[in-house]
C-alpha cells in the first residue's frame, strides 16, 4: 500500500495496516472469527487501520470514540454502502439497506420506511387488552411457541429450539408486513423460511467475488447462489404487495405494506419525487422482512442458550416476573418494571455481539480520520464486537453478568445500556430497534413466565458462535417444562 498520499499539495498519511499478498490481500489472515483477529490487529495498529480484502482496501474502525467519530460526527462522509457483488443481488439497485446510491432520495426512502414502521407500531390492536397491533401479533406467536416447546419436549425430551423460534419470529414479520400468520407446517411458509435461511447462509459465506471483482463473471454456485434465493424471496413479497395494492383502504391500515402504500399514495405528497413507486414499495417490504427476521430469531436462540447455561439467572428473571407482573400476559410497558430482565437482554446483546460488524459502510467523499487521509469510496468495517468487549468500558468483558447494568438501587443504568453497540448509530442506524427490543422482551418474559428451560442432562453447551453476517450459536438442545404458577424454581 502507498503509505503517503498527496492531496491538494499536502502530504497526507494513509492509515497503518499489515502487509498484504497480491490479489488475495489479507483474506487468509482473517481466520474463522475475523472480529477477534481484527481486535488483535488493533493492539498493533490502533483504532483505525487499513487491510486489503482480496483487492479491496478496507478501513477497520474500533474503539467507542473512533466509532462515534465515524458514525455520528463525520456520519455524512461514512454513510454510503460499498459496491459489493453480494449486495448487488440483494439490492437490485433499490434496497434501503444495501444500495450504493446514497443521497437525498435514499434519505427520503429511509424516512418513509421509518414512518411506515411507526404508523404500524401505533396502529390499534384488534383486542382491547393489547396496546398496539405489534404487541398483539407477538403475544399470539409467543403463546403458540410455548405450546410447540411443550409438545416437542414431551415427545422428544431434548429438542433443538431453532426451527420453532424461526417460525414464530417469521410469523411476527409476516403479520407485520402482510397482516397474515401461517401455520408452522404450512408449505408456502416453510419454503419462504428456508429460502431466507439459504439467502443468509449464501450471503454470509465470504463471497470471493466481493473482494476479487473479476470473479463475478464466473458461473460458480458460491458466487451466484444468492441471486436465485433473492429472486424467490422477492417473488413471494411482490405477490403480497400486489394483492395489498388491489385491496388497500386508507381508513383501514392492516400492516406495514398498507402503511407504506398510505405514505406513498398520499395525495398530499408534494411531488412524485416525495414518494416511492410500487417496485420501490416491494423492495422496502423486502428490506424490512429480511432485516426483522434473522436478527430477532438469532437473538432469541442466544437468549435461551444463556438461560439454560446460567439457570440461576433464569431463576432471577422468573422471580422478577412473578413479583412484578404475576400471571398477566407481559406487555411492552412492563419493560419499565422488569429491570433485571432488561439487563439480561442488554448483556445478551453485548456478550454474544451476534452482529459483530455493522453492514459495511463506504465513504461518500474524501475525508480524514484520526489524522489519516481516507479517499472517497473506501469500504469501512465498524467492529461492534470490539466495542462490546473493550476493557476500558466493561469490567471483565468476557463474563456474562446482567447485574453490570444495574445500579446500587437495582435500577437499570441507562447510560451503560446505551454503550452496547448492536443496532449501529447515526444515519445508518437500524430502523427496527424499538420493534426488536419490544418483541424480544415479550418473547423472553412470556416463555419464562410459563416454562422452565433446562439443558439436557450431560449435554455440553458451547457458547462459541458460528461466524456470519449474523452469528448464530452452534445447534443445541433444551428441555422445557411447565412451571407451577408463581414458582421460580429454575
Ligand atoms: C440495519 C441490527 C432488527 C430493520 C441494521 C444494522 C444493524 C442492525 C447493526 C446496520 C447498521 C449500520 O449499517 O450501521 C439489528 C439487530 C436487530 C435488528 C441487532 C434485532 C435484534 C431489525 C428489525 C427491523 C430492522 C426488527 C425491521 C422491522 C433494519 C433496516 C436496516 C437495518 C431497514 C438498514 C438501515 C440502513 O441501511 O440505513 N440493523 N437489527 N432491523 N435494520 Fe436492523
Amino acid at each position: 500500500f502507498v503509505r503517503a498520499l498527496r492531496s491538494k499539495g499536502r502530504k497526507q498519511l494513509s492509515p497503518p495496516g499489515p502487509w498484504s499478498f497480491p490479489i488475495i490481500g489479507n483474506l487468509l489472515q482473517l481466520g474463522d472469527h475475523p472480529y477477534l483477529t481484527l481486535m488483535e490487529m488493533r493492539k498493533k495498529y490502533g483504532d483505525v487501520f487499513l487491510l486489503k480484502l482480496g483487492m479491496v482496501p478496507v478501513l477497520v474502525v474500533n474503539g467507542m470514540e473512533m466509532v462515534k467519530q465515524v458514525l455520528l460526527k463525520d456520519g455524512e462522509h461514512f454513510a454510503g454502502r460499498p459496491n459489493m457483488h453480494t449486495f448487488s443481488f440483494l439490492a437490485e439497485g433499490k434496497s434501503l439497506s444495501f444500495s450504493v446510491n446514497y443521497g437525498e432520495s435514499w434519505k427520503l426512502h429511509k424516512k418513509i420506511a421509518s414512518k411506515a414502521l411507526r404508523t404500524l407500531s401505533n396502529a390499534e390492536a384488534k383486542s382491547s387488552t393489547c396496546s398496539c397491533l405489534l404487541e398483539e401479533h407477538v403475544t399470539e406467536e409467543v403463546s403458540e411457541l410455548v405450546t410447540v416447546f411443550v409438545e416437542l419436549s414431551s415427545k422428544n425430551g431434548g429438542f433443538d429450539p431453532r426451527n420453532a423460534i424461526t417460525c414464530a419470529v417469521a410469523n411476527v414479520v409476516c403479520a407485520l408486513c402482510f397482516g397474515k400468520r401461517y401455520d408452522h407446517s404450512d408449505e408456502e411458509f416453510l419454503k419462504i423460511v428456508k429460502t431466507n435461511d439459504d439467502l443468509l447462509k449464501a450471503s454470509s459465506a465470504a463471497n470471493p467475488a466481493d473482494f476479487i471483482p473479476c470473479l463475478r463473471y464466473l458461473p460458480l454456485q458460491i458466487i451466484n447462489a444468492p441471486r436465485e434465493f433473492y429472486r424467490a424471496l422477492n417473488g413471494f413479497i411482490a405477490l403480497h404487495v400486489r394483492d395489498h395494492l388491489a385491496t388497500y383502504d386508507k381508513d383501514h391500515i392492516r400492516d406495514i405494506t398498507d402503511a407504506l402504500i398510505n405514505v406513498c399514495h398520499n395525495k398530499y405528497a408534494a411531488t412524485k419525487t416525495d414518494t416511492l413507486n410500487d417496485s420501490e414499495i416491494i423492495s422496502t417490504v423486502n428490506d424490512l422482512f429480511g432485516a426483522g427476521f434473522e436478527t430477532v430469531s438469532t437473538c432469541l436462540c442466544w437468549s435461551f442458550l444463556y438461560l439454560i447455561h446460567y439457570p440461576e439467572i433464569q431463576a432471577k428473571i422468573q422471580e422478577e416476573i412473578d413479583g412484578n407482573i404475576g400471571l398477566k400476559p407481559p406487555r411492552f410497558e412492563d419493560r419499565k418494571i422488569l429491570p433485571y430482565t432488561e439487563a439480561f437482554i442488554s448483556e445478551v446483546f453485548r456478550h454474544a455481539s451476534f452482529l459483530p460488524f455493522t453492514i459495511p459502510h463506504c465513504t461518500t467523499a474524501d475525508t480524514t480520520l484520526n489524522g489519516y487521509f481516507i479517499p472517497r469510496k473506501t469500504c469501512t468495517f465498524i467492529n461492534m464486537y470490539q466495542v462490546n468487549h473493550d476493557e476500558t468500558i466493561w469490567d471483565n468483558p468476557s463474563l456474562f453478568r446482567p447485574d453490570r447494568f444495574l445500579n446500587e438501587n437495582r435500577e437499570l443504568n441507562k447510560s451503560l445500556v446505551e454503550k452496547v453497540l448492536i443496532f449501529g448509530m447515526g444515519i445508518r442506524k437500524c430502523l427496527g430497534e424499538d420493534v426488536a427490543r419490544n418483541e424480544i422482551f415479550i418473547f423472553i418474559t412470556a416463555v419464562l413466565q410459563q416454562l422452565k428451560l433446562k439443558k439436557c442432562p450431560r449435554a455440553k453447551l458451547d457458547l462459541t458462535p458460528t461466524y456470519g453476517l449474523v452469528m448464530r450459536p452452534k445447534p443445541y438442545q433444551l428441555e422445557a417444562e411447565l412451571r407451577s404458577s408463581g414458582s421460580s424454581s429454575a
Side-chain angles (χ1 to χ4, degrees):
F1 253 102
V2 188
R3 283 277 290 131
L5 298 162
R6 284 195 179 274
S7 163
K8 291 182 191 155
R10 258 190 26 238
K11 196 175 175 191
Q12 290 190 299
L13 276 186
S14 121
W19 183 87
S20 61
F21 289 102
I23 303 181
I24 56 169
N26 304 102
L27 272 178
L28 297 181
Q29 281 152 266
L30 289 185
D32 290 343
H33 297 282
Y35 51 97
L36 295 180
T37 311
L38 299 184
M39 267 174 91
E40 274 308 303
M41 286 186 182
R42 172 183 181 246
K43 289 184 188 156
K44 184 161 179 196
Y45 301 109
D47 278 341
V48 176
F49 56 88
L50 197 64
L51 294 172
K52 250 186 140 183
L53 296 187
M55 299 164 80
V56 180
V58 174
L59 181 74
V60 182
V61 181
N62 304 273
M64 186 57 124
E65 285 318 306
M66 207 50 70
V67 168
K68 278 189 179 161
Q69 176 70 38
V70 164
L71 298 183
L72 299 178
K73 295 191 195 122
D74 205 10
E76 195 69 42
H77 281 156
F78 284 91
R81 295 287 189 216
N83 183 7
M84 289 167 98
H85 189 53
T86 308
F87 286 3
S88 71
F89 295 142
L90 304 175
E92 294 195 339
K94 298 178 207 122
S95 163
L96 174 64
S97 319
F98 298 102
S99 164
V100 291
N101 303 322
Y102 174 75
E104 287 314 306
S105 71
W106 176 86
K107 286 183 190 166
L108 177 79
H109 193 167
K110 188 155 185 182
K111 214 157 119 190
I112 289 176
S114 305
K115 190 165 174 208
L117 253 190
R118 251 198 333 274
T119 309
L120 184 89
S121 297
N122 298 333
E124 210 178 305
K126 287 178 212 121
S127 119
S128 60
T129 61
C130 287
S131 67
C132 66
L133 212 50
L134 173 65
E135 192 177 79
E136 188 164 50
H137 289 318
V138 183
T139 306
E140 248 173 67
E141 288 314 320
V142 76
S143 128
E144 173 77 15
L145 184 68
V146 168
T147 312
V148 173
F149 272 12
V150 172
E151 271 171 20
L152 285 171
S153 213
S154 62
K155 234 191 274 165
N156 311 331
F159 65 95
D160 181 345
R162 171 101 217 165
N163 268 350
I165 293 172
T166 310
C167 286
V169 175
N171 249 338
V172 173
V173 178
C174 282
L176 270 180
C177 291
F178 314 123
K180 176 169 179 178
R181 82 170 296 275
Y182 292 84
D183 191 86
H184 283 206
S185 57
D186 183 288
E187 272 183 28
E188 186 195 14
F189 179 60
L190 289 176
K191 201 168 125 200
I192 234 46
V193 170
K194 175 156 184 340
T195 308
N196 197 64
D197 193 48
D198 291 339
L199 177 65
L200 191 95
K201 278 195 206 135
S203 330
S204 286
N207 189 335
D210 285 339
F211 301 110
I212 307 177
C214 55
L215 293 182
R216 62 181 65 176
Y217 303 107
L218 297 181
L220 296 178
Q221 171 73 4
I222 183 171
I223 288 165
N224 295 309
R227 189 198 305 270
E228 297 314 312
F229 299 134
Y230 181 80
R231 282 203 181 128
L233 205 59
N234 208 43
F236 167 81
I237 285 165
L239 216 67
H240 280 285
V241 174
R242 289 203 189 99
D243 180 58
H244 275 62
L245 282 164
T247 52
Y248 165 73
D249 169 4
K250 72 175 171 34
D251 298 321
H252 178 50
I253 301 300
R254 298 163 288 185
D255 44 46
I256 288 182
T257 306
D258 272 355
L260 272 171
I261 298 172
N262 182 271
V263 181
C264 297
H265 289 199
N266 182 342
K267 62 180 176 182
Y268 300 108
T271 66
K272 268 266 174 236
T273 53
D274 272 359
T275 180
L276 304 180
N277 62 33
D278 292 349
S279 80
E280 285 163 334
I281 294 180
I282 294 173
S283 89
T284 309
V285 177
N286 210 332
D287 274 324
L288 297 174
F289 190 86
F293 188 136
E294 182 64 24
T295 45
V296 173
S297 60
T298 299
C299 178
L300 292 174
C301 285
W302 278 110
S303 302
F304 294 143
L305 177 58
Y306 283 110
L307 288 167
I308 57 173
H309 196 266
Y310 298 104
E312 66 289 357
I313 293 178
Q314 183 180 161
K316 269 174 140 178
I317 297 179
Q318 282 163 332
E319 207 177 292
E320 185 175 72
I321 294 171
D322 295 346
N324 292 303
I325 59 172
L327 294 175
K328 143 190 127 49
R331 296 287 176 242
F332 294 164
E333 62 171 17
D334 295 329
R335 286 177 59 193
K336 293 197 263 320
I337 54 169
L338 300 184
Y340 186 75
T341 310
E342 283 284 282
F344 167 76
I345 295 170
S346 287
E347 186 65 341
V348 172
F349 286 157
R350 186 198 69 81
H351 194 264
S353 285
F354 51 89
L355 266 89
F357 301 104
T358 64
I359 300 171
H361 285 231
C362 180
T363 46
T364 55
D366 288 355
T367 186
T368 50
L369 181 65
N370 210 23
Y372 300 119
F373 174 67
I374 317 291
R376 182 168 169 260
K377 290 197 176 171
T378 302
C379 178
T380 305
F381 283 11
I382 312 288
N383 194 352
M384 299 199 290
Y385 187 97
Q386 185 281 323
V387 173
N388 292 338
H389 291 81
D390 191 325
E391 284 174 348
T392 62
I393 307 178
W394 311 101
D395 180 31
N396 261 324
S398 60
L399 290 187
F400 186 83
R401 206 162 53 80
D403 284 284
R404 69 173 79 240
F405 290 102
L406 299 180
N407 65 20
E408 58 280 12
N409 300 323
R410 311 292 293 162
E411 290 155 351
L412 201 62
N413 178 344
K414 291 202 178 118
S415 72
L416 199 58
V417 167
E418 280 165 16
K419 292 201 166 98
V420 178
L421 192 56
I422 189 86
F423 293 99
M425 52 172 82
I427 299 174
R428 284 287 183 171
K429 191 180 161 133
C430 174
L431 205 96
E433 175 171 354
D434 292 343
V435 170
R437 284 186 185 275
N438 282 330
E439 190 178 346
I440 290 163
F441 173 80
I442 298 290
F443 266 105
I444 292 176
T445 46
V447 166
L448 292 188
Q449 188 180 44
Q450 297 173 66
L451 300 178
K452 175 172 160 180
L453 305 177
K454 290 189 298 188
K455 84 181 184 73
C456 302
R458 287 182 299 282
K460 274 220 160 32
L461 299 174
D462 183 355
L463 293 178
T464 358
T466 312
Y467 181 69
L469 198 64
V470 183
M471 300 201 293
R472 295 173 171 181
K474 302 223 168 66
Y476 65 91
Q477 302 228 321
L478 58 74
E479 290 177 5
E481 92 189 14
L482 278 168
R483 296 176 70 215
S484 49
S485 58
S487 89
S488 59
S489 53

